[in-house]
Amino acid sequence: RRVLFRSQLKINTNKKYMTVYEAMYSPMTWENSSHTISIHLSKEGAESAIANHRKQKEYDWCKLFPDERFNFNDKSWHVKETKVLP
């Protein structure tokens, strides 16, 4: 086992940020709160996750309410760009 002392740690002082994309979902569109479904390195990956999540929600809705139309709008899902330290 190797022990590292504070003087041996290399801390990145450049603070280069990394961009990640959060696939966000809001089950209640009349409120402004949404939660993260998943985090991706590309915007396309986040959009793909949203498409899959939307299909699952539509499938669940049709099972529960077979005679009603799926009425979720596009405001329920969105992609949020976030900067994080690597």
Side-chain angles (χ1 to χ4, degrees):
R1 184 175 139 185
R2 186 174 175 204
V3 178
L4 290 176
F5 297 97
R6 280 190 175 167
S7 60
Q8 292 174 312
L9 293 176
K10 293 181 181 178
I11 299 173
N12 184 2
T13 56
N14 294 335
K15 291 189 177 179
K16 292 183 180 179
Y17 293 98
M18 179 176 155
T19 302
V20 294
Y21 299 89
E22 296 180 64
M24 307 290 287
Y25 171 65
S26 175
M28 295 178 275
T29 56
W30 56 89
E31 291 192 19
N32 255 349
S33 64
S34 58
H35 61 270
T36 302
I37 302 169
S38 55
I39 298 175
H40 303 269
L41 294 176
S42 69
K43 189 173 183 177
E44 293 80 17
E47 290 170 347
S48 175
I50 286 174
N52 291 337
H53 190 261
R54 184 180 174 94
K55 283 181 189 175
Q56 184 62 45
K57 287 293 180 187
E58 187 172 359
Y59 175 78
D60 294 343
W61 178 271
C62 290
K63 278 181 65 177
L64 287 173
F65 310 105
D67 298 332
E68 291 186 31
R69 189 175 153 264
F70 181 70
N71 60 358
F72 285 70
N73 60 25
D74 290 332
K75 292 180 183 177
S76 299
W77 291 271
H78 66 279
V79 175
K80 178 182 172 187
E81 184 177 309
T82 306
K83 302 234 183 265
V84 295
L85 290 172

